[in-house]
Amino acid sequence: VYTVHKTDHGVWMVNLGDKLVAISTTCTHLGCIPNWLSNDNKFKCPCHGSGFQVTGMNFEGPAPRPLERHGIYLDGEIVVVDKSKKFRQELNQWGLDGSEITI
């Protein structure tokens, strides 16, 4: 998980082994900003306790759904994140064209 763009762009870049995704830093409970806890390998919301796996799936706390993913694509060798496009797991949008980059 690359956290360098968390504050300035509201996105985590996550290498899932065979793909790269851009995960929104906005908790799906009340819009707080979770933290990446590398020792626990999870995102954890400090406000209400929601926990999310590295993939963005919710697994603890009050968050009603997984974190959203932003659009992502390659422009030559540059990774571009398109925050105007959102992909939601519960709508079966993860894995659609533009939701990830195969690496």
Side-chain angles (χ1 to χ4, degrees), residues 25-34 45 47-48:
T25 61
T26 303
C27 181
T28 56
H29 176 232
L30 292 177
C32 302
I33 300 175
C45 186
C47 303
H48 304 104

Side-chain angles (χ1 to χ4, degrees), residues 40-98:
D40 297 324
N41 201 38
K42 68 179 179 180
F43 300 102
K44 184 74 172 173
C45 186
C47 303
H48 304 104
S50 292
F52 303 89
Q53 298 169 348
V54 69
T55 60
M57 284 297 297
N58 54 319
F59 71 94
E60 64 183 353
R65 58 189 179 85
L67 296 169
E68 294 178 347
R69 293 183 181 178
H70 293 298
I72 188 170
Y73 63 93
L74 286 174
D75 184 6
E77 295 183 11
I78 306 292
V79 174
V80 179
V81 174
D82 183 353
K83 289 181 65 178
S84 72
K85 295 181 180 175
K86 295 187 179 185
F87 296 89
R88 293 173 52 174
Q89 187 276 338
E90 69 278 12
L91 299 177
N92 296 314
Q93 295 173 333
W94 288 6
L96 293 179
D97 190 36

Side-chain angles (χ1 to χ4, degrees), residues 1-2 11-24 43 54-56 68-73 79-81 87 94-96 98-103:
V1 174
Y2 304 96
V11 67
W12 290 294
M13 301 302 296
V14 180
N15 181 333
L16 296 176
D18 62 341
K19 57 189 163 192
L20 182 68
V21 296
I23 298 179
S24 171
F43 300 102
V54 69
T55 60
E68 294 178 347
R69 293 183 181 178
H70 293 298
I72 188 170
Y73 63 93
V79 174
V80 179
V81 174
F87 296 89
W94 288 6
L96 293 179
S99 69
E100 61 192 32
I101 297 173
T102 301
I103 52 176

